[in-house]
Amino acid sequence: MAGLLAKFGHYTHAVVRGIPSSLATEALRSSQSEVDLAKAHQEHAEYVEVLRTRLGLEVVELPADEALPDCVFVEDAAVVCGDTALITRPGAVSRRGETEAMKEALKKLDLNLVEMTDENATLDGGDVLFTGQEFFVGLSKRTNQRGAEILADAFKDYAVSTVPVTEGLHLKSFCSMGGPGLILIGASEHAQKALKTMQQMSNYRYDKLTVPDDLAANCIYMNVPGKGHVLLHTTGDQFPESFKVLEKLTDYTLIAVSGLEKMKVDGALTCCSILINKKTDI
Amino acid sequence: MHPQNLRRMAKRTKTDYCQNLLQSYRKRAKGQFLFFKVCEHLNLMEKDYFGLTYKDTHDHKCWLDPTKEIKRQIRNSWQFSFNVKFYPPDPSLLTEDLTRYLLCLQLREDVACGRLPCSFVTHTLLGSYTLQAELGDYEVDQPKPLDYMSQLTFAPNQNKDMEEKILELHKSHRGMTPAQADAQFLENAKKLSMYGVDLHHAKDSEGVDITLGVCANGLLVYKDRLRINRFAWPKILKISYKRNNFYIKIRPGETEQFESTVGFKLQNHRSAKRLWKVCVENHSFFRLNAPEPPTKARFLTLGSKFRYSGRTQAQTRVASSLIDRPAPNFERTSSKRISRSLDGASFIFPQFIIYAFTCSFIHFYLFCAFVLFCCMSAFQSSLGVHGENIYVRHSNLMLEDHDKTQDEVLKHQASISQLKRSFMEAPPPSPPQPNQWEKRLTSSPTTTIRVQPHPVVRVWMLMTLRLKEGASGCILMRIFHTDNFFSESVSSESESEEEAEYHPNVHVSIAHSEIPEEKEEEEEEEEEVEVHVVEQIPNDTILPPVIEEAAPVEVQQQETHDAERPKEAEEKHTTEPENDESTDDPMLTPEEAPPPNGLPLAEEDSPDAGQEEPKVNGQPMTVETEHRPQVICCTEPPVVKTEMVTISDTFAAQKTEIATKEVPIVHTETKTITYEASQLDGNADGEPGVLMTAQTITSESLCTTTTTHITKTLKGGLSETRIEKRIVITGDCDIDHDEALAQAIKEAKEQHPDMSVTRVVVHKETELAEEEED
C-alpha cells in the first residue's frame, strides 16, 4: 500500500508545467534581476528531460498560463504523499489560480484530493518537507499555522511539526531531503537554526549534510530502480563549494541540472515538479 | 487456568468471575490483585504493557495504582477497563501472539473512536487486516458483505467508500493467518504518529490552548494537530507539579548556560497530578532498566511519593524471553459480536464490572480459604503427583516472649541466615548477588518497621521445577522468585498533595538499545548519575553467562538421574493439570500435613502453624484503619527515627547491616513451610556435573525484585538447566501472601508448563513493632 509502506524516494509520475512568457517580468521575486526567458525555457526543457529519460518518470506536462506568471513552480500548488494530494492555498494571491490546473491533473492520476478551502489558511508546497516519516512545515511569509493544520488533517498518519522560517522564501529554500533520513541543509545561520528545530521536534534521528550555499541545499532525491540513490542538484559552476560537498555522496548518481534563470525568480529544483508514486503492484 | 475463549470470558464477566473479583474488594485488596486476576483470566503473561483504568468522579480515565487499595482509589464506580498502558514501540518484539492480539484490540478501539487518528488509506488497510484476523479469508459467496461491514466500526467517519476499499483489500490478504494479520496490523499502526501518545489538555504560559502528549520518547506539545515542541526524556531534568501547574526543567542546550523551566497550566490539580504520574510512569517504563525506588520518607514533607512500581520495558522483555509455554490458544472474536454483547456500545475491548459489596470478617475468612485452596491446588497440579508424594512441614519459629533480648535478635538473624543458606544452595553467581540478597534480608524488616507499626510479614518462596527434556537428558529447573512489596506509606498519597517532583535521571545501566535514535543524548546523561544509583542496581542488565562454581548445582542433580520417574510425573501433570487443580486434596492443607521429612529449612515442628494462617492475614484488618503511615512517621520513638534515617540509605549495604542489629524493637514470629516431591529424598548427594553456563538476571523495583538464576550443567551426557527464582514479599499484612504465592506458582507453571515443581519453600516472618503489643 502506498502511504505508510511507500518507500522513500520511489516515484512513478511527475507533474510539471510550462514557462509562461510573463515569468520574465511579472513573476514574483525577492531580488531585482532580469530573466533570460529563452535560457529559462532551455533549462526547463533539460529538467523535464532528465525526469523523463534519466529517471524514467511518466511526466504530465501542464501548459503554461500567461495569466499565472509563477505557474512553472508547481510544487507550491499541491502536496502529494502516498495516495493523497492536498491542493494548497498559495500564500501569494497572484498564485491562487495555479491550483485549478493542478487539481485536474491530480484528479486524472486518481489521487484522493483534499482541498484547502479555509480562507484563513495559506500554504505553499515549498514550505513542506516530507522526510518519509513526518512532515515539517515552514511557517513563512507564504505559509501560516492554519495552512499547516489543514495539512496535518490531510495526512493524519504523520506527525506535522512547524518550523519558523525567518529568512528566505520557503523552508525548502535552504533544505531538502538528500536520501532516507538525510537532510541537506544550507550553512546559513537561519538554515542551521531551522535544522535544530526540526531535530528537536522529531522522534527520529536524521543525518545532515551541510552545504555552504543555502540554495544548493535544494536537491531532488530519488530512488530509481536499477540506479539506486539519485540526486538532482545545482551545477558545480553555479555553486562549486557546495558541489564539492555533494560529491562526498559516493554511492549516489549525481545529476547536475542548471537552474540559473529560474533561481532569479526564487525557483529551486524541487519547485518545478510534483513527484508522485502511483502504486503499480496492487 | 487453561487458555480462555475471550468471548466466553466476556460473557462470564458478570457471573463466576465477578465472584472472585468481589473477594478482592472484601479483602481490601490492592489494584495489583485485581489486575493479576484479570491477566490470569486472559491467560496473559506479558502483562506489564497493560493496566486497569477507572473513571474518577469527574469522568476522567485514571490508572488503577497496583500498590494501593482499590477501594481507596475509586469513587463508587466499580467499573474497570483493561487497557494498554504502555504501547510497545515495536510490537514484533512481543513474545506471544496473545499479547499482540490484545494490543490489536486496544488499537482497533483507539482507531475506531478517533483517539488514534489515521488517514483514509490507513483506515482501510487496518480494517482489512482486522477482517482477515477475525474472519479469515474473504469468502466470495458471502451474501451482502457490505451490510455486514457497516455493522463494524473501523473509523470515526466510516462510509461506504471506505467499506468497499476494506473489502477489496481484505481479498488481497488471502492465506494470511490471524496472527500474521495482527502482526501486519501492528506494523502499520505503530508507524502512526499518535501511536502510544497519551494526550492531556493544557494551556501554555500565555493561556493558549495546547495539548501535551506523553510517549515513549518524551513529552510532545501540540497546538491543534501540529507539533510545536518536543522534550525528549534526556532533555528533561525534573518533572513537577504544583496545584494545577505542571513544570518541566530543561537541560541547557549547547549554547545555553542555564537550565530553563517550562510551565503549563492544567485544568485543575487533579489533571496536573495525573499528567505528572503518566510522565513518571512512562519515563520509568521506557527509559529505565529498573524502576526507581520511592522517594525517601522525609520527615514532615509533603508531596506525592508516587513512583512507577511495575516492571520496566527492559525487565518485561527479559521476563518475556523466559516464557517457554506453548503458544496459548485463544479465539479471536468478531468485533461486531463483542460490541453487541456490550449493549451496542462500540467497545471492542473486554470490560470488567464489579459490584460493590460490604466488607465483613466472614467474607474475609472465606476469602482466605479460597486463596489457600487456590494456592494448594496450583501447587498440587504443578507437581503432578498426589498427596502421598508431597511432604508438608511447618516450622514455627515463634519467639514467644515479647522481650527483645539480644538473644532473640541473634536467633532471628540465625534463622534468616539459615534460610538464606538453604535458599542459596547454589552460591550466588556473581559478587553483586549476595549483597543484593543480604540487603534485602537485612533492610526489609527495618523498612517495614518504619512505615508500619503493625504486623509485618515477610514471605520467601522458593520453587523448584523439574523438566525432562527430550530423550537425551533432563532439565532441572528451580524457580526462585523475588517479589518485594513495600508497605503502604511508600505509595501513600492523597488528594491533598498538591505538588510533587520527579527527577528523571536515567540510571547508568540504561539499556542503550532501548532508544537508539537518542544514543548521543543518553551518553550526555550518564554524567549525571550519582554513585548510589550505581550501587542500587548492580546487576540489572542481562549479564553474559557467568561461570560459577559447580558445587551449587550438584545438590539437586541426582534428581534428574532417574529419567523415568520425572518423566512419569511430568506426563501426569501435563496431561491433566486442570483436573488436579480442581481436586481438593485434604493432604495438602497444612493442618493435616504428614510429619516432616528432614527438610532443611524447618527449624522446629509446629503442628498448629496452619491454624495461625488466618490470624496472620487477619491481623491487619483490625489495626490498619487507625494507623496512617504519615502519622506514624511523626510519632515514632527516636529509635525508630534513627531507623528511618538508616532506611534512606537502604542501598548502602553496611548501613543496613547496622539497622538489622538495631532491630530489637521488633518481635519476630517466623514460620516455614516446605513442600517437596518425594523424588527428592534420598538423592542428597551426587557427583558434581560440569557447569556449562550460569546466568543471573536481576530486576528490581519498588514492589518487585526478581532474581532469576539460570545454570546449565552437563553431567554424564545429561544436560541440566536450573532456573531459580526468588520471591521475597515484604509488607504489611494487608498484602495477600497466599495469593502472591499462588500467583508465583502459577506463573512459574505457566512459564514452564512442561516441568514439575519439585520443591516449594514458604517462610513467613511476622514482626510486631513495639507499639503494637498491647
Side-chain angles (χ1 to χ4, degrees):
Chain A
M1 242 1 254
L4 290 176
L5 299 184
K7 280 190 191 165
F8 188 66
H10 286 254
Y11 302 108
T12 56
H13 292 67
V15 179
V16 298
R17 198 164 187 178
I19 297 178
S21 307
S22 53
L23 175 116
T25 50
E26 291 168 49
L28 302 169
R29 67 204 74 192
S30 46
S31 59
Q32 291 301 319
S33 47
E34 290 279 313
V35 177
D36 183 331
L37 200 59
K39 243 183 179 173
H41 274 293
Q42 192 197 332
E43 279 176 1
H44 192 58
E46 255 175 54
Y47 177 90
V48 174
E49 200 50 28
V50 165
L51 295 180
R52 203 191 312 266
T53 56
R54 294 198 65 181
L55 304 178
L57 298 176
E58 197 169 304
V59 179
V60 177
E61 210 165 350
L62 304 178
D65 186 336
E66 289 301 328
L68 302 166
D70 289 293
C71 70
V72 66
F73 304 121
V74 288
E75 178 184 52
D76 294 321
V79 178
V80 178
C81 178
D83 280 355
T84 305
L86 172 70
I87 309 298
T88 64
R89 192 168 176 276
V93 182
S94 65
R95 300 193 59 188
R96 302 257 159 91
E98 292 176 26
T99 56
E100 277 308 310
M102 181 57 67
K103 193 164 74 185
E104 292 310 311
L106 296 177
K107 203 180 268 175
K108 279 182 196 156
L109 286 168
D110 204 23
L111 295 171
N112 305 316
L113 295 193
V114 180
E115 285 187 71
M116 195 176 279
T117 49
D118 190 327
E119 288 188 1
N120 295 317
T122 60
L123 183 116
D124 276 14
D127 276 317
V128 180
L129 180 69
F130 179 64
T131 68
Q133 279 112 354
E134 62 193 311
F135 285 97
F136 292 105
V137 178
L139 297 180
S140 65
K141 296 179 191 83
R142 300 281 178 85
T143 300
N144 63 19
Q145 183 91 11
R146 185 75 195 117
E149 275 167 27
I150 292 169
L151 179 123
D153 227 30
F155 303 102
K156 289 198 184 78
D157 294 350
Y158 299 102
V160 179
S161 307
T162 52
V163 184
V165 175
T166 48
E167 283 176 55
L169 181 63
H170 287 137
L171 176 65
K172 281 196 277 189
S173 299
F174 50 78
C175 70
S176 66
M177 290 309 288
L182 174 67
I183 295 178
L184 298 179
I185 187 80
S188 72
E189 200 180 310
H190 66 271
Q192 292 293 320
K193 199 177 161 200
L195 177 72
K196 277 229 148 52
T197 306
M198 292 192 276
Q199 285 172 331
Q200 193 199 319
M201 298 276 237
S202 177
N203 281 335
Y204 302 94
R205 266 191 98 77
Y206 295 104
D207 293 324
K208 63 163 182 177
L209 185 64
T210 303
V211 292
D213 310 283
D214 277 4
L215 288 172
N218 183 295
C219 297
I220 295 176
Y221 168 80
M222 274 188 66
N223 193 324
V224 182
K227 276 201 173 79
H229 303 301
V230 176
L231 198 70
L232 268 63
H233 61 93
T234 51
T235 59
D237 293 343
Q238 205 175 345
F239 298 109
E241 293 306 311
S242 294
F243 181 64
K244 276 182 201 159
V245 175
L246 292 174
E247 273 183 322
K248 290 178 190 161
L249 297 167
T250 46
D251 53 344
Y252 277 60
T253 306
L254 296 175
I255 302 175
V257 183
S258 173
L260 207 57
E261 295 306 315
K262 284 186 266 189
M263 217 159 265
K264 290 178 183 168
V265 282
D266 303 315
L269 288 182
T270 60
C271 295
C272 300
S273 61
I274 284 181
L275 301 177
I276 298 158
N277 186 28
K278 285 294 294 174
K279 55 186 188 284
T280 48
D281 46 356
I282 291 181
Chain B
M1 213 167 284
H2 256 327
Q4 297 292 325
N5 171 324
L6 277 169
R7 180 155 39 104
R8 233 174 54 214
M9 178 210 66
K11 279 183 186 163
R12 279 177 16 181
T13 298
K14 288 181 185 174
T15 57
D16 56 333
Y17 188 55
C18 263
Q19 293 299 312
N20 294 352
L21 295 184
L22 282 175
Q23 310 288 350
S24 65
Y25 173 61
R26 292 172 191 149
K27 180 71 173 57
R28 309 181 62 184
K30 302 212 160 121
Q32 189 162 249
F33 175 83
L34 181 59
F35 177 66
F36 281 172
K37 279 281 171 203
V38 172
C39 291
E40 184 182 306
H41 212 77
L42 293 167
N43 199 19
L44 174 66
M45 290 190 75
E46 293 174 283
K47 47 174 107 74
D48 304 295
Y49 300 97
F50 302 86
L52 293 176
T53 57
Y54 64 93
K55 291 270 179 75
D56 68 7
T57 39
H58 304 266
D59 211 36
H60 285 120
K61 200 181 88 172
C62 302
W63 291 105
L64 190 68
D65 188 332
T67 63
K68 289 165 72 183
E69 278 179 24
I70 298 169
K71 212 178 68 178
R72 288 184 194 280
Q73 300 181 60
I74 57 161
R75 301 272 186 274
N76 297 324
S77 162
W78 287 83
Q79 181 162 345
F80 301 93
S81 12
F82 182 75
N83 289 110
V84 174
K85 188 173 191 179
F86 305 110
Y87 289 74
D90 190 354
S92 66
L93 294 180
L94 295 172
T95 300
E96 298 200 303
D97 286 340
L98 172 63
T99 320
R100 263 186 289 275
Y101 171 59
L102 292 171
L103 178 58
C104 277
L105 287 183
Q106 174 75 72
L107 287 165
R108 279 171 202 160
E109 191 194 299
D110 292 349
V111 167
C113 72
R115 194 160 48 232
L116 180 57
C118 50
S119 66
F120 179 88
V121 174
T122 305
H123 272 305
T124 58
L125 189 63
L126 295 179
S128 67
Y129 286 126
T130 301
L131 285 187
Q132 183 69 22
E134 291 184 348
L135 306 177
D137 289 347
Y138 175 79
E139 286 174 47
V140 186
D141 50 354
Q142 194 178 346
K144 294 190 179 177
L146 281 175
D147 289 353
Y148 172 76
M149 289 275 293
S150 55
Q151 292 175 39
L152 302 172
T153 311
F154 296 102
N157 39 14
Q158 187 171 325
N159 53 31
K160 277 274 167 284
D161 191 20
M162 184 182 286
E163 288 164 13
E164 275 167 31
K165 273 268 162 49
I166 291 174
L167 273 185
E168 198 179 301
L169 286 169
H170 181 202
K171 290 175 199 170
S172 71
H173 302 325
R174 181 162 289 279
M176 200 179 271
T177 65
Q180 286 170 333
D182 279 351
Q184 284 301 314
F185 180 97
L186 295 175
E187 278 307 294
N188 286 282
K190 77 170 187 193
K191 292 179 192 161
L192 296 168
S193 79
M194 298 307 276
Y195 174 85
V197 181
D198 189 44
L199 295 177
H200 299 255
H201 294 290
K203 285 185 197 297
D204 68 10
S205 52
E206 285 154 19
V208 178
D209 281 315
I210 52 150
T211 309
L212 295 171
V214 186
C215 69
N217 295 309
L219 190 66
L220 303 163
V221 187
Y222 297 92
K223 186 168 184 303
D224 296 305
R225 285 193 179 282
L226 299 173
R227 190 184 287 179
I228 54 170
N229 214 338
R230 172 180 173 271
F231 303 98
W233 291 128
K235 294 278 176 216
I236 301 176
L237 290 169
K238 188 169 98 179
I239 310 166
S240 56
Y241 74 96
K242 189 170 187 178
R243 289 189 293 276
N244 64 333
N245 295 302
F246 174 80
Y247 303 102
I248 47 174
K249 193 192 256 183
I250 311 297
R251 189 186 296 276
E254 290 162 29
T255 53
E256 296 143 332
Q257 273 197 317
F258 302 104
E259 300 155 349
S260 54
T261 297
V262 185
F264 301 97
K265 260 200 167 26
L266 278 287
Q267 204 187 351
N268 50 45
H269 86 271
R270 283 188 311 277
S271 320
K273 184 178 175 183
R274 197 165 46 238
L275 170 61
W276 179 79
K277 280 171 111 171
V278 167
C279 284
V280 170
E281 294 198 310
N282 271 269
H283 174 266
S284 303
F285 185 79
F286 289 110
R287 297 286 301 175
L288 301 185
N289 257 355
E292 212 181 286
T295 45
K296 301 157 189 176
R298 280 165 297 181
F299 192 61
L300 288 176
T301 50
L302 295 170
S304 174
K305 289 165 205 73
F306 174 81
R307 287 295 179 268
Y308 176 59
S309 59
R311 283 196 286 220
T312 63
Q313 181 172 244
Q315 290 171 330
T316 195
R317 281 183 182 167
V318 171
S320 297
S321 67
L322 292 172
I323 296 176
D324 73 346
R325 65 172 178 180
N329 278 321
F330 60 93
E331 190 180 304
R332 287 173 173 79
T333 52
S334 159
S335 316
K336 188 177 111 192
R337 269 174 289 167
I338 285 283
S339 56
R340 269 183 186 166
S341 75
L342 289 162
D343 306 318
S346 62
F347 295 117
I348 303 171
F349 221 60
Q351 290 222 334
F352 301 89
I353 299 160
I354 303 167
Y355 302 96
F357 260 69
T358 336
C359 181
S360 80
F361 276 99
I362 296 165
H363 287 145
F364 169 61
Y365 282 115
L366 276 176
F367 179 71
C368 277
F370 160 75
V371 169
L372 218 59
F373 166 66
C374 263
C375 147
M376 290 306 169
S377 55
F379 170 56
Q380 182 194 9
S381 70
S382 324
L383 276 167
V385 287
H386 289 286
E388 65 257 43
N389 288 334
I390 302 164
Y391 295 85
V392 181
R393 175 172 174 157
H394 307 261
S395 167
N396 196 349
L397 296 174
M398 177 93 179
L399 302 178
E400 271 130 357
D401 97 24
H402 291 300
D403 284 340
K404 37 201 167 108
T405 61
Q406 192 59 29
D407 255 355
E408 274 178 23
V409 177
L410 291 174
K411 217 167 157 189
H412 168 222
Q413 283 195 302
S415 74
I416 289 176
S417 40
Q418 174 159 9
L419 270 167
K420 192 174 70 184
R421 273 198 302 278
S422 354
F423 286 174
M424 304 297 289
E425 278 166 339
S430 52
Q433 225 45 51
N435 294 340
Q436 196 75 351
W437 182 231
E438 203 85 47
K439 274 183 247 167
R440 197 147 301 290
L441 281 166
T442 54
S443 66
S444 301
T446 46
T447 308
T448 50
I449 288 156
R450 163 176 60 97
V451 290
Q452 290 292 117
H454 51 74
V456 164
V457 174
R458 197 145 41 115
V459 179
W460 289 307
M461 278 174 262
L462 173 149
M463 270 178 284
T464 309
L465 299 194
R466 177 162 53 184
L467 164 78
K468 180 171 184 304
E469 188 189 58
S472 60
C474 293
I475 289 196
L476 181 109
M477 302 199 88
R478 210 168 131 206
I479 304 275
F480 230 163
H481 211 96
T482 310
D483 272 1
N484 197 359
F485 298 88
F486 282 76
S487 37
E488 262 198 10
S489 77
V490 157
S491 58
S492 74
E493 46 187 322
S494 65
E495 285 301 309
S496 65
E497 290 159 14
E498 291 197 327
E499 57 179 271
E501 291 181 356
Y502 176 70
H503 301 261
N505 284 334
V506 179
H507 297 164
V508 77
S509 53
I510 178 82
H512 279 265
S513 58
E514 285 309 289
I515 306 170
E517 63 268 28
E518 283 174 4
K519 268 178 203 152
E520 260 177 34
E521 290 164 316
E522 280 173 21
E523 281 156 23
E524 264 173 44
E525 215 162 43
E526 286 171 18
E527 295 161 18
E528 296 270 319
V529 176
E530 293 167 37
V531 179
H532 77 270
V533 173
V534 182
E535 287 180 354
Q536 175 201 335
I537 32 174
N539 204 7
D540 271 336
T541 42
I542 307 169
L543 295 174
V546 178
I547 303 300
E548 58 161 321
E549 300 163 85
V553 195
E554 65 187 352
V555 180
Q556 299 205 330
Q557 263 171 354
Q558 327 67 20
E559 300 161 21
T560 61
H561 280 317
D562 187 344
E564 286 311 304
R565 286 172 65 188
K567 192 179 179 182
E568 273 170 29
E570 185 219 330
E571 275 166 6
K572 265 189 208 165
H573 94 266
T574 49
T575 49
E576 42 178 27
E578 287 307 284
N579 298 342
D580 286 347
E581 214 158 322
S582 60
T583 314
D584 190 1
D585 194 330
M587 288 302 285
L588 292 170
T589 61
E591 290 86 350
E592 290 163 309
N597 201 8
L599 299 172
L601 293 184
E603 291 274 328
E604 222 178 279
D605 287 338
S606 169
D608 57 348
Q611 286 158 17
E612 285 178 12
E613 199 94 2
K615 185 182 149 205
V616 169
N617 281 319
Q619 275 162 342
M621 295 299 288
T622 60
V623 294
E624 197 181 70
T625 42
E626 292 84 23
H627 294 85
R628 298 311 307 151
Q630 301 282 9
V631 181
I632 289 142
C633 283
C634 309
T635 56
E636 270 168 339
V639 61
V640 180
K641 279 186 198 161
T642 316
E643 300 238 325
M644 259 169 61
V645 175
T646 314
I647 293 308
S648 55
D649 284 315
T650 311
F651 299 103
Q654 287 179 329
K655 290 198 175 179
T656 50
E657 204 75 59
I658 294 160
T660 312
K661 282 170 192 153
E662 287 169 1
V663 141
I665 38 155
V666 194
H667 301 288
T668 309
E669 172 193 311
T670 58
K671 180 167 62 182
T672 303
I673 308 170
T674 304
Y675 312 94
E676 206 159 350
S678 62
Q679 294 103 321
L680 299 188
D681 302 314
N683 286 334
D685 296 304
E687 86 244 46
V690 181
L691 184 74
M692 304 302 288
T693 58
Q695 188 178 13
T696 301
I697 301 156
T698 310
S699 52
E700 189 179 0
S701 73
L702 161 60
C703 281
T704 310
T705 301
T706 306
T707 307
T708 310
H709 177 48
I710 309 169
T711 50
K712 286 192 181 185
T713 51
L714 188 64
K715 190 176 66 174
L718 298 182
S719 148
E720 291 169 355
T721 303
R722 184 203 297 188
I723 297 181
E724 295 179 349
K725 280 191 184 178
R726 258 199 323 243
I727 305 173
V728 174
I729 301 171
T730 308
D732 63 279
C733 286
D734 197 40
I735 290 163
D736 191 335
H737 303 93
D738 298 315
E739 170 56 25
L741 171 63
Q743 181 64 33
I745 294 175
K746 190 179 173 304
E747 230 173 69
K749 206 182 99 192
E750 276 174 349
Q751 278 182 3
H752 314 281
D754 39 6
M755 294 185 182
S756 49
V757 174
T758 53
R759 196 156 155 237
V760 177
V761 180
V762 180
H763 172 79
K764 288 196 182 188
E765 230 179 68
T766 310
E767 289 164 359
L768 300 152
E770 197 168 21
E771 306 91 277
E772 285 300 306
E773 279 169 40
D774 299 320

